[in-house]
Amino acid sequence: MTDLGKTPFIKELASSDKKLRDKATTSLTLFLRAKTDLSNLDLLKLWKGLFFCFYHSDRPLTQQALARTLSYNLVPTLPKATTQKFLRAFWLTIGRDFHSIDRLRLDKYLFLIRCYVGVGFEVFVRGGKQKEDLNGAGDGDVEGKKRKRAQEEQTSKKGGKKRRGKGQQLQELPKEDEEKVEDGEKNDWTALESYLAILEDGPLCPVNFDPDQPPANEAEDFIPMPHGPDGLRYHVMDIWVDELEKVLEFEEEVTAEDGTTVKKPKGQVPGDLLLRPLERLRTESPYKPVRVRAAEALDDERLVQWGWKERKVESESEDDSEDEEWGGFGEE
């Protein structure tokens, strides 16, 4: 296969001309839709070109438009077979080349990372909720219509007899559909869990170096994820709850008896699963600054409002111990 990083539309993505940029985005989207058999190595070559395309983009508005184009406009249109691998190639490229970004270009890459954290939630959290809604309504209706049509054909062949039996069969359909919906809901968050596993193996890994990590094997299309680095890890932790809040739909705010405001997300959102990467960093990281930053992210007031965390109550003994002053060495 030709070098994907040198294809013409990669260079046009960095153009300040919106028409050229839109044309390049369309070409890239059509290319990724048509090539559903791209390997991890092919996508890494593609992201190498995209990384340097973004590196050479100038002007803040052009940079922001390109970041949104590569994330919110592109990722939701990818085939399911390509989405996870495309996102893994992005995080692998960012983790590998993060130290090579100079301070003058750092801000635009931080914005690109923010866009990719957001679009990941857009696809796997909001997409999972929409899939749940479709399983609850659309899929059941489609299956019911198919079965109803088949039953009508059978009764028409029999001369329209046994209308009562047909009615009884149709009344039993919702029970079968409910079982299918329950099975679908159990699997709704499988894609989200797989995506979070990519992040836990990359920028949100508790360690920077794992001696047991297997080496790269191009024959088996395996490229190991770089762990961290800390600068990337801190940034992802800082924006985690912010980007998550953008994709959640909330019920009306309710004031509890203790005066706290409760704003629970609609639907069955797996809060424990979404906070799992931060919890792992807080408990398993051997570096104290990482544990402290993860604890600060988990202490966000919004998580208490959503019902995902409980408010911490400081005991009076702890306050008294903090206020006590050191009296010096006592006399022997």
Side-chain angles (χ1 to χ4, degrees), residues 63 101-112:
Q63 296 164 3
I101 304 173
D102 58 83
R103 62 182 181 86
L104 298 176
R105 294 180 172 88
L106 182 59
D107 286 344
K108 66 178 181 180
Y109 276 99
L110 293 180
F111 182 74
L112 177 65

Side-chain angles (χ1 to χ4, degrees), residues 12-13 17-27 69 73:
E12 293 177 353
L13 279 170
D17 186 354
K18 188 177 184 300
K19 291 183 179 180
L20 277 178
R21 200 166 59 245
D22 292 343
K23 178 183 176 183
T25 304
T26 303
S27 300
T69 297
N73 293 351

Side-chain angles (χ1 to χ4, degrees), residues 254-262:
V254 179
T255 304
E257 296 180 355
D258 57 355
T260 59
T261 303
V262 179

Side-chain angles (χ1 to χ4, degrees), residues 220-252:
E220 297 182 1
D221 194 29
F222 174 75
I223 309 294
M225 286 281 290
H227 303 324
D230 283 337
L232 177 59
R233 186 179 288 115
Y234 293 148
H235 180 59
V236 174
M237 284 192 290
D238 288 343
I239 65 177
W240 191 263
V241 180
D242 294 339
E243 297 304 314
L244 185 57
E245 184 180 22
K246 295 177 182 178
V247 302
L248 296 178
E249 297 179 358
F250 298 96
E251 299 175 356
E252 294 183 0

Side-chain angles (χ1 to χ4, degrees), residues 161-177:
K161 296 181 180 180
K162 298 183 179 180
R163 296 284 296 178
R164 186 177 180 181
K166 176 186 172 183
Q168 292 174 350
Q169 290 177 356
L170 289 176
Q171 291 175 359
E172 294 174 357
L173 287 179
K175 295 181 180 180
E176 298 176 3
D177 290 340

Side-chain angles (χ1 to χ4, degrees), residues 190-307:
T190 304
L192 173 62
E193 188 170 6
S194 300
Y195 175 64
L196 293 179
I198 294 174
L199 295 177
E200 290 174 330
D201 189 35
L204 296 182
C205 183
V207 296
N208 287 336
F209 175 71
D210 183 7
D212 298 329
Q213 187 178 34
N217 189 342
E218 295 185 5
E220 297 182 1
D221 194 29
F222 174 75
I223 309 294
M225 286 281 290
H227 303 324
D230 283 337
L232 177 59
R233 186 179 288 115
Y234 293 148
H235 180 59
V236 174
M237 284 192 290
D238 288 343
I239 65 177
W240 191 263
V241 180
D242 294 339
E243 297 304 314
L244 185 57
E245 184 180 22
K246 295 177 182 178
V247 302
L248 296 178
E249 297 179 358
F250 298 96
E251 299 175 356
E252 294 183 0
E253 295 186 2
V254 179
T255 304
E257 296 180 355
D258 57 355
T260 59
T261 303
V262 179
K263 189 174 68 171
K264 292 186 178 181
K266 292 181 179 179
Q268 299 179 358
V269 181
D272 293 338
L273 179 60
L274 289 166
L275 298 181
R276 186 184 69 184
L278 302 184
E279 290 285 359
R280 283 194 60 197
L281 290 172
R282 183 182 64 84
T283 57
E284 300 179 16
S285 177
Y287 311 109
K288 184 177 180 180
V290 175
R291 296 197 302 269
V292 171
R293 187 68 69 88
E296 291 176 353
L298 290 170
D299 287 341
D300 196 300
E301 181 67 21
R302 289 169 291 183
L303 299 180
V304 178
Q305 295 179 359
W306 302 347

Side-chain angles (χ1 to χ4, degrees), residues 54-116:
F54 196 72
Y55 185 88
H56 291 292
S57 63
D58 56 356
R59 300 177 184 177
L61 293 179
T62 302
Q63 296 164 3
Q64 294 174 16
L66 180 57
R68 293 186 176 277
T69 297
L70 293 177
S71 55
Y72 288 102
N73 293 351
L74 176 61
V75 176
T77 64
L78 296 177
K80 291 183 179 179
T82 309
T83 303
Q84 294 272 4
K85 293 193 294 183
F86 185 81
L87 291 172
R88 186 180 188 275
F90 165 78
W91 289 112
L92 198 154
T93 302
I94 289 294
R96 180 187 61 194
D97 297 330
F98 189 80
H99 285 308
S100 66
I101 304 173
D102 58 83
R103 62 182 181 86
L104 298 176
R105 294 180 172 88
L106 182 59
D107 286 344
K108 66 178 181 180
Y109 276 99
L110 293 180
F111 182 74
L112 177 65
I113 292 166
R114 176 183 284 271
C115 289
Y116 262 84

